[in-house]
Amino acid sequence: MTPQANQTLGIIGKNLLRLRKASGYSQERLALDAEIDRTYVSQIERGIANPSVLVLKKISDCLGVALSDLTLGA
């Protein structure tokens, strides 16, 4: 994977972690609501998984945020 791709996954992971905690979700609760595995949530937050747009949309819907809130750099 390119350095730019790794940076993008890191941004998504940091945003997800911040937004999840601000919403009061545990990884397990978010995973259940988004219908994905808890370990996948962890991998996304750590920047080691490359989630599809559809997975990110499920997550953003659960958190009540725009998809762009997960993907935009801080």
Side-chain angles (χ1 to χ4, degrees), residues 12-59:
I12 291 169
K14 287 177 185 174
N15 288 339
L16 173 55
L17 178 63
R18 177 179 50 79
L19 292 167
R20 178 180 62 77
K21 287 187 173 187
S23 296
Y25 269 91
S26 67
Q27 286 183 347
E28 185 172 352
R29 182 79 246 165
L30 178 59
L32 286 170
D33 288 354
E35 300 177 336
I36 58 177
D37 195 84
R38 191 217 43 92
T39 59
Y40 194 45
V41 174
S42 173
Q43 291 172 350
I44 297 169
E45 287 184 351
R46 290 181 286 139
I48 60 174
N50 187 1
S52 70
V53 172
L54 293 176
V55 167
L56 292 176
K57 179 64 175 145
K58 283 182 173 184
I59 291 171

Side-chain angles (χ1 to χ4, degrees), residues 61-73:
D61 287 348
C62 289
L63 296 175
V65 299
L67 181 59
S68 60
D69 292 336
L70 289 174
T71 59
L72 293 178

